[in-house]
Amino acid sequence: MGFAEVGCIECHSSQQRESVMKTLHTGFGEITYDPDKVIRFPEGLIGFEHLRKFIVMPVKKDDVLFCIQSVEEAHVAFLLINPCLFFPDYQVRPASGDLEKLDITEDDSYFVMTTITFHKDKTASLNLLAPVIYTPRTDRAVQVVLEGSGYSTRTPLPKVE
Amino acid sequence: MLVLTRKVGEGIVIGEDIVVRVMECKDGRIRLGIEAPRDKKIYREEVYERICLENREASQWDLQKLDALNAILPSKGSR
């Protein structure tokens, strides 16, 4: 399970940094984080526009799956995954308005991730219609909508046993 | 709800910086032109609602589901 590793990472960084760590009581337990190291969604996620700050926690060793945990509402967390693992042709480029929101230029690197939804029938799906673009340089992220792309909010993944 | 009647070519102004104009009306469909600052997010209503719903559902998960997902994920090296 990834969260034990997350704890170690957080402890390690706290030893190197002087800033005051904060603690969050989430559904997964107590999480200690550095308030200077949150990522910001200038517009929140769609339907969650009021939540602007999240902490990122890797939940698998090889950096394909992340949990973003709201620091403003402890019960809100999302799983983000690199959709290219399953859909290699999936490509998203930030529009000019998105570049402004992310405070980057076209030369900056960015990552495209999608949320994962679990369903009652034990399947999981990806929201390819509204991916999240994250830029490490500014630590900002936006959820964009690919209107007219034909992508679905519920693109199925292989069955989760 | 404010209800206004407009003809093709006419528009409405919302606030200081948004103009919505009726471009065409044909076969029960109305084409709208919208002028707004780039930072204003504009979506078709049903698309916006579908994504709201999906985000709400995506926020509902637990560690068991995460473990199940981890089990089926391809590792990076195998790409």
Side-chain angles (χ1 to χ4, degrees):
Chain A
M1 194 180 299
F3 279 76
E5 295 160 31
V6 170
C8 293
I9 292 166
E10 294 294 334
C11 291
H12 185 64
S13 64
S14 70
Q15 285 167 1
Q16 294 173 333
R17 297 175 59 89
E18 293 298 317
S19 60
V20 180
M21 301 297 281
K22 287 193 173 179
T23 302
L24 201 61
H25 300 275
T26 74
F28 313 112
E30 206 169 89
I31 295 172
T32 305
Y33 70 98
D34 182 341
D36 291 337
K37 291 193 125 184
V38 297
I39 65 164
R40 287 167 198 275
F41 282 73
E43 300 182 326
L45 281 101
I46 293 166
F48 292 86
E49 282 85 358
H50 58 299
L51 301 181
R52 304 291 174 90
K53 294 181 191 172
F54 288 81
I55 33 180
V56 182
M57 301 181 289
V59 289
K60 199 166 184 261
K61 281 175 192 161
D62 52 6
D63 288 350
V64 296
L65 185 64
F66 299 88
C67 167
I68 57 169
Q69 164 70 55
S70 166
V71 301
E72 289 148 316
E73 277 187 23
H75 65 279
V76 176
F78 297 93
L79 285 171
L80 295 179
I81 193 165
N82 178 353
C84 292
L85 282 174
F86 299 96
F87 306 97
D89 297 333
Y90 184 75
Q91 283 197 338
V92 178
R93 292 177 62 85
S96 56
D98 301 324
L99 294 175
E100 276 176 33
K101 291 165 198 162
L102 294 164
D103 195 20
I104 60 166
T105 67
E106 285 183 353
D107 297 330
D108 279 296
S109 63
Y110 59 88
F111 295 98
V112 176
M113 311 288 283
T114 58
T115 56
I116 303 170
T117 308
F118 294 100
H119 305 282
K120 289 199 177 93
D121 63 358
K122 291 192 173 181
T123 59
S125 63
L126 300 187
N127 183 351
L128 295 185
L129 179 63
V132 171
I133 301 177
Y134 165 71
T135 51
R137 186 173 67 78
T138 57
D139 263 336
R140 290 193 185 200
V142 290
Q143 185 173 33
V144 300
V145 179
L146 308 178
E147 277 211 65
S149 65
Y151 285 122
S152 164
T153 55
R154 292 194 176 179
T155 308
L157 277 191
K159 192 161 178 110
V160 180
E161 295 299 336
Chain B
M1 183 190 284
L2 172 66
V3 180
L4 300 170
T5 304
R6 303 277 66 195
K7 294 177 184 166
V8 171
E10 293 179 338
I12 57 169
V13 179
I14 302 172
E16 291 169 2
D17 48 15
I18 299 173
V19 180
V20 181
R21 194 175 301 287
V22 180
M23 309 302 286
E24 188 182 284
C25 182
K26 205 167 102 184
D27 303 330
R29 288 168 180 249
I30 297 165
R31 283 173 69 83
L32 299 174
I34 302 162
E35 285 171 41
R38 262 202 308 215
D39 63 339
K40 285 277 185 292
K41 302 204 281 184
I42 301 169
Y43 306 116
R44 289 176 175 83
E45 184 182 36
E46 69 278 14
V47 172
Y48 179 81
E49 287 177 351
R50 206 183 321 141
I51 294 168
C52 280
L53 173 71
E54 199 59 34
N55 279 346
R56 275 203 300 278
E57 296 201 356
S59 70
Q60 305 296 313
W61 55 281
D62 56 36
L63 293 177
Q64 277 181 339
K65 288 172 180 165
L66 176 62
D67 281 345
L69 180 70
N70 265 328
I72 64 156
L73 282 182
S75 67
K76 210 177 200 176
S78 66
R79 280 177 73 186

